[in-house]
Amino acid sequence: MSLVRALALLALPVALGAQEPQLPLKHKPQPTTAAITAADLMTRLYIFADDSMQGREAGAIGDYKGTTYIAGELRKIGLVPAGDHGTYFQTVPLKVRSVASTSRLTAGGSALAFGTEWGVMAPGSSAATDQPVLYGGTAGGPDMLPPERAAGKVVVYRLGPNTAAMRRAAAPGAQMPKAVIVIGPAMFLGYFTQPGEFVDDGPQTAGAPLFFVTPEAAARLFDAPLAQVRPGDAGKGVSYDVQVKVAPVAYPARNVVGIIPGSDPLLKHEYVAIGAHNDHIGFNHHPVDHDSLRIFNHIVRPMGNDSPNGSATAQQMAEVNEDLAAWRAAHPGTARLDSIDNGADDDGSGTVTALEIAQKIASLNPRPRRSLLFVWHVGEEKGLLGSTYFTDHPTVPRGSIVAQLNMDMVGRGDAWDVTGTTKDGAFMHGGSNLLFLVGSRRLSTELGDLVERVNAEDHHGFAFNYAFDADGHPENVYCRSDHYEYARYGIPITFFTTGLHSDYHQVTDEPEYIDYAHMARVGNLIEDVAVHVADLDHRVVVDHPKPDPHGSCRQ
């Protein structure tokens, strides 16, 4: 599930205590069968989320290997290639922007240090001298100045809880500021100094450069202390010289697309889409102790990277150290350093479940009336890039897609996991029959009712939880995975997930912690729903307003 990686807290090098894994670190692959089974899923996921895939970052060798594996499986299963030029691949024109370390930012004539005091996201190279500065309040907050007050100026904001607000402040438009400066914690600087990927999909209107500065550096922007600065106050003149280099990613970023043709001569030209994302967040060069991190996160950061920022309490650290000591006593000599974000649940679980569904449906005789369109999207972790590109440039007529069923993180969710929060902030825990649904009735009441009916009448036995589907839910799940890129074009969707956990966007998200039996149940439900939709004598009815496909998503 997509989230800016650099907004995570760095893992502490101290201990952490964890759920006893019941599965091995490695697993010998076994031949898969037509049925959707825990054994098949285990074989597939241990391959797809192996260390050799290096965390499957889009545009890197690991995800290139991962998409090669998916295409090879589709070839074995017998899906029809539906990518570019008769292949299974739709290549997304992903490029990298990097900012030269020689770039400069000065405030009142005082130079700030790139990488330690400031960073920047910029659409291209830009420079300006002695620009007027205005304090704009908190990005996304009630005190934020209206856009017309910011036009043509360098505007400084405090970082608010809605990180999307700072991007909107720098977005192109008639009232675009000259530049945006956001004040925030130094731990977020890595996000603004590392190279950033974007899809080069034709001419684009460039936004303003978006600078990020630490509070200590920001003090040099104003004569008064920051605590006394109010919206509308003027600051010292700012100069900058940002040098940006753009280059293609090292390896092709690829959606993987295959079709199971329908059996009805007329309806086979319509499609039920099934999707997951093939990428994750890669690896770094700063290994941490795997078991310590897992124990710490479970106690202090129970939703992994989605946990609220904050320091561990003394009581929590005492619990962490107690659990870690017990773990090490029970597992002497097993400590391991880890630097690879394997993404077993996010979204290895969805990827391999989609493969199992494809193998099951391909074995049916007769096959469903409508065709099944399988898309493994790339770049979800970088902002839904692959699904945006596919829905903007579909390899089948967009209007022929009658529904899309999306899976992202469907491999966990037992009682040990904190699966997220309710809209009012209360922790939710997993359970043996848990499955979250998002968006199933936002466009089509009929699709939502059908999912419920299939679950009940075909005895899948899930207790659906719609907490993440609540309007205004702070987790913003409706807008955070690939289903939304279909929904924005008015295609009814249902998003299936077992929710968050303390291994989310951590090096500890590995195949040994997955509940394969539960994941097989999820796969069988989604396969059943897909076949029911494909066999309807009509398209599922869209009875809610369609969004603006180029507007902003609203949870």
Side-chain angles (χ1 to χ4, degrees):
M1 195 180 297
S2 178
L3 183 69
V4 175
R5 179 180 187 176
L7 299 187
L9 288 176
L10 296 177
L12 299 182
V14 292
L16 335 178
Q19 176 187 41
E20 181 82 22
Q22 302 298 314
L23 299 172
L25 292 177
K26 298 291 182 181
H27 174 67
K28 184 179 179 180
Q30 304 295 321
T32 60
T33 64
I36 300 171
T37 68
D40 286 0
L41 290 165
M42 189 171 175
T43 281
R44 294 190 187 281
L45 190 56
Y46 269 84
I47 294 170
F48 191 68
D50 187 72
D51 283 353
S52 64
M53 298 291 187
Q54 299 179 7
R56 304 188 311 278
E57 183 175 9
I61 182 62
D63 193 57
Y64 185 83
K65 290 180 178 179
T67 52
T68 299
Y69 165 75
I70 296 169
E73 293 301 289
L74 299 190
R75 193 171 293 110
K76 293 177 188 175
I77 296 169
L79 270 68
V80 176
D84 300 330
H85 312 299
T87 72
Y88 289 109
F89 303 118
Q90 181 190 45
T91 299
V92 177
L94 189 62
K95 292 187 177 179
V96 181
R97 287 191 187 100
S98 55
V99 177
S101 60
T102 54
S103 298
R104 295 182 295 106
L105 174 65
T106 63
S110 176
L112 307 182
F114 179 77
T116 57
E117 293 185 309
W118 72 279
V120 63
M121 289 192 302
S125 298
S126 60
T129 302
D130 200 23
Q131 297 296 304
V133 167
L134 186 70
Y135 179 63
T138 302
D143 64 339
M144 186 175 181
L145 289 183
E148 60 269 18
R149 294 282 304 277
K153 300 181 179 68
V154 175
V155 187
V156 179
Y157 298 102
R158 292 183 186 275
L159 179 65
N162 182 359
T163 58
M166 66 181 182
R167 289 179 177 270
R168 288 197 297 270
Q175 298 173 331
M176 186 176 76
K178 181 76 174 181
V180 170
I181 298 176
V182 175
I183 306 169
M187 67 182 185
F188 295 166
L189 266 176
Y191 177 56
F192 291 85
T193 55
Q194 67 187 11
E197 289 82 3
F198 71 102
V199 175
D200 188 4
D201 191 14
Q204 299 177 7
T205 304
L210 175 60
F211 294 92
F212 189 90
V213 301
T214 64
E216 295 76 15
R220 282 177 265 175
L221 293 168
F222 299 94
D223 289 318
L226 286 177
Q228 298 177 15
V229 178
R230 296 293 178 262
D233 287 354
K236 300 177 182 179
V238 162
S239 300
Y240 56 86
D241 183 2
V242 177
Q243 298 299 317
V244 175
K245 179 182 178 182
V246 175
V249 291
Y251 291 85
R254 307 184 295 189
N255 292 328
V256 188
V257 192
I259 290 171
I260 299 175
S263 59
D264 187 291
L266 296 178
L267 294 181
K268 71 178 182 180
H269 300 294
E270 295 181 350
Y271 299 88
V272 178
I274 295 175
H277 69 87
N278 60 56
D279 66 312
H280 195 52
I281 58 176
F283 69 98
N284 60 48
H285 298 282
H286 305 286
V288 294
D289 181 80
H290 178 104
D291 299 313
S292 292
L293 179 62
R294 193 158 199 260
I295 292 167
F296 177 86
N297 280 344
H298 187 68
I299 294 171
V300 181
R301 296 178 58 75
M303 296 187 299
N305 221 36
D306 256 20
S307 298
N309 294 321
S311 301
T313 65
Q315 180 178 349
Q316 286 174 324
M317 285 310 304
E319 186 178 353
V320 163
N321 289 322
E322 180 181 355
D323 284 1
L324 182 61
W327 173 268
R328 287 180 172 163
H331 304 84
T334 61
R336 52 175 165 149
L337 292 178
D338 201 346
S339 63
I340 298 175
D341 291 274
N342 299 78
D345 192 27
D346 185 16
D347 186 27
S349 62
T351 290
V352 301
T353 301
L355 281 172
E356 282 289 282
I357 293 171
Q359 189 170 12
K360 171 69 176 295
I361 295 177
S363 73
L364 298 179
N365 187 15
R367 288 180 175 176
R369 299 174 68 189
R370 288 179 177 82
S371 297
L372 280 298
L373 171 69
F374 289 83
V375 187
W376 288 264
H377 307 98
V378 71
E380 190 267 1
E381 298 291 0
K382 296 182 183 296
L384 315 185
L385 300 184
S387 54
T388 301
Y389 189 79
F390 182 81
T391 52
D392 283 342
H393 307 277
T395 60
V396 302
R398 188 187 301 118
S400 67
I401 304 173
V402 303
Q404 199 264 352
L405 309 177
N406 185 41
M407 293 165 282
D408 194 349
M409 300 177 65
V410 292
R412 293 283 293 269
D414 66 15
W416 191 79
D417 289 324
V418 173
T419 53
T421 64
T422 62
K423 186 177 178 179
D424 59 7
F427 278 151
M428 297 183 290
H429 288 266
S432 59
N433 294 318
L434 169 76
L435 189 60
F436 291 98
L437 298 189
V438 177
S440 58
R441 292 187 175 90
R442 288 190 175 229
L443 285 167
S444 170
T445 303
E446 182 181 20
L447 179 59
D449 291 348
L450 184 148
V451 176
E452 289 273 6
R453 187 171 66 251
V454 168
N455 180 55
E457 293 180 357
D458 293 351
H459 308 292
H460 291 281
F462 284 104
F464 293 148
N465 187 320
Y466 292 92
F468 286 137
D469 202 29
D471 290 346
H473 192 290
E475 287 292 331
N476 203 33
V477 172
Y478 179 61
C479 303
R480 271 178 61 181
S481 194
D482 295 312
H483 53 270
Y484 179 71
E485 299 305 322
Y486 293 80
R488 71 189 172 107
Y489 277 112
I491 298 169
I493 64 93
T494 300
F495 177 45
F496 302 83
T497 182
T498 51
L500 297 164
H501 45 74
S502 55
D503 298 315
Y504 170 60
H505 276 217
Q506 305 292 318
V507 297
T508 52
D509 184 7
E510 296 204 348
E512 63 186 297
Y513 305 122
I514 296 295
D515 184 342
Y516 292 95
H518 190 268
M519 188 160 66
R521 290 179 58 204
V522 175
N524 277 295
L525 169 71
I526 296 171
E527 183 271 339
D528 200 0
V529 170
V531 170
H532 274 76
V533 175
D535 281 338
L536 288 174
D537 60 5
H538 62 281
R539 297 173 66 118
V540 288
V541 176
V542 176
D543 58 348
H544 294 280
K546 298 178 181 180
D548 175 1
H550 304 294
S552 298
C553 179
R554 292 185 60 186
Q555 168 68 34

